[in-house]
Amino acid sequence: MNQKQEDTIDLLKLFKVLINKLWLLIIVAVLFAVASYSVTKTMIKPEYEATSKLYVFNKSDFGSSGAVSSSDISTSKVLVNTYIVVLQSDSVLGQVVDTISEYQGKEGFEYLGTEPYTTKQLRGMISAGSINNTESFSVTVTANDPYEAKFINDAILYFLPDEIIRVVKAGAVEIIDKASIPTAPSSPSVMKNTVLGGFVGGVLTAAIIVVMALFDNVIHTEEDLTSEFPDISVVGVIPDYKVEKQKAPREATQPVSHREKQEQTKPKKKIELNDDDDFENED
């Protein structure tokens, strides 16, 4: 019970310390948020995503009745993962690299740059996956230029269907939606990074303040002494000379001139009067 009470007192003490340093937490959080905003806007290149959608079907879908059985749908779902593997193969990406190289340097395709692409580089720019666990899947290309992302996605859609038929020899794909030119960057999120930077700055500052408070074993006030040793009575408190000096009246601290010192130290003449003394002038 006592241990629990001491823990509660310690938590309250830490809470008071954080409240007293709230101004510092706010300042550091704002500085971190501003720094994160500046880095995000000036040093991180924006990225754009171009996404296309495709539908997978197998040969039995071409039946005369036009009906699609559940087994056909299940087969198409299995083929989705196979088609994604074909999509990310060197055979498909190699043809895309050759197409990019063909258009590099031509007027209107400056966004493709001049550096040659590699299949490994393209593979890192492409992501694909099933849409809601259906027989459809999406292909997303991420690039630093919106037109670059659109161009690469279109090149993939141009070579992928024929390559799937050549490799798998079962089923095919049909394009549902081609990729459109992205109008806004997908990352980085300026607002998210700014808020995250401010949060990290506040948490780090709070952690440092708490650690310093936990390792602070100095008695600062009389309340600290009574809280640490509740069974011992406080006999007296030695005043802080500097604080008392600041509280002293202003007149006491003003300098005294040399003449004033002489007047203060000069002995006063003592006059004694008797009854027989005559203060009248004689003629």
Side-chain angles (χ1 to χ4, degrees):
M1 182 68 181
N2 293 334
Q3 181 66 29
K4 183 178 180 181
Q5 183 178 3
E6 290 179 0
D7 294 340
T8 304
I9 294 175
D10 290 338
L11 292 177
L12 291 175
K13 180 180 178 180
L14 293 178
F15 179 75
K16 291 179 180 179
V17 171
L18 291 176
I19 292 297
N20 292 333
K21 297 294 184 179
L22 183 61
W23 60 272
L24 181 60
L25 291 174
I26 296 176
I27 291 176
V28 175
V30 171
L31 291 177
F32 269 70
V34 172
S36 179
Y37 174 84
S38 301
V39 171
T40 303
K41 292 290 288 185
T42 60
M43 300 182 64
I44 301 179
K45 292 183 178 180
E47 293 183 339
Y48 298 85
E49 292 184 351
T51 302
S52 57
K53 298 178 182 179
L54 300 94
Y55 174 78
V56 176
F57 60 91
N58 54 58
K59 291 182 179 180
S60 62
D61 290 338
F62 295 99
S64 58
S65 63
V68 180
S69 63
S70 59
S71 62
D72 295 332
I73 295 177
S74 299
T75 303
S76 297
K77 290 182 180 179
V78 174
L79 289 175
V80 167
N81 294 328
T82 304
Y83 289 177
I84 291 175
V85 173
V86 176
L87 163 66
Q88 296 178 341
S89 65
D90 290 342
S91 59
V92 174
L93 298 183
Q95 296 181 74
V96 175
V97 169
D98 294 338
T99 303
I100 294 174
S101 300
E102 181 182 350
Y103 283 90
Q104 280 182 326
K106 292 185 177 181
E107 185 178 357
F109 296 91
E110 292 80 7
Y111 52 84
L112 294 177
T114 57
E115 295 293 330
Y117 285 69
T118 63
T119 56
K120 181 178 180 181
Q121 178 184 358
L122 283 182
R123 193 173 290 110
M125 299 169 62
I126 299 171
S127 61
S130 174
I131 301 175
N132 299 326
N133 197 28
T134 63
E135 60 272 23
S136 303
F137 69 98
S138 62
V139 179
T140 301
V141 177
T142 304
N144 295 125
D145 187 277
Y147 293 94
E148 178 188 8
K150 163 70 172 173
F151 182 92
I152 296 176
N153 202 309
D154 288 344
I156 292 174
L157 296 187
Y158 182 81
F159 295 108
L160 181 60
D162 293 340
E163 197 65 24
I164 287 176
I165 295 176
R166 184 187 70 82
V167 175
V168 182
K169 295 180 175 62
V173 293
E174 192 70 30
I175 298 175
I176 301 175
D177 290 323
K178 285 188 175 182
S180 58
I181 300 175
T183 57
S186 58
S187 66
S189 175
V190 178
M191 179 63 66
K192 179 181 178 180
N193 289 357
T194 302
V195 174
L196 183 61
F199 177 77
V200 171
V203 171
L204 288 178
T205 306
I208 293 174
I209 293 174
V210 169
V211 171
M212 293 178 64
L214 291 176
F215 285 93
D216 185 11
N217 55 3
V218 179
I219 301 298
H220 297 279
T221 62
E222 183 179 351
E223 288 75 11
D224 296 339
L225 187 62
T226 55
S227 62
E228 292 292 335
F229 307 99
D231 298 332
I232 301 177
S233 301
V234 179
V235 178
V237 179
I238 301 176
D240 191 343
Y241 173 75
K242 294 181 179 180
V243 176
E244 295 297 331
K245 187 176 180 180
Q246 293 176 355
K247 293 181 180 180
R250 183 175 180 274
E251 292 79 5
T253 60
Q254 292 180 348
V256 181
S257 63
H258 179 69
R259 182 176 180 180
E260 292 176 347
K261 289 183 179 180
Q262 288 182 344
E263 292 293 335
Q264 293 176 0
T265 57
K266 183 178 179 181
K268 295 182 179 181
K269 185 177 180 180
K270 185 177 181 181
I271 302 176
E272 296 181 358
L273 299 178
N274 297 325
D275 295 338
D276 298 336
D277 292 340
D278 186 7
F279 290 94
E280 296 180 359
N281 297 328
E282 295 180 357
D283 296 336

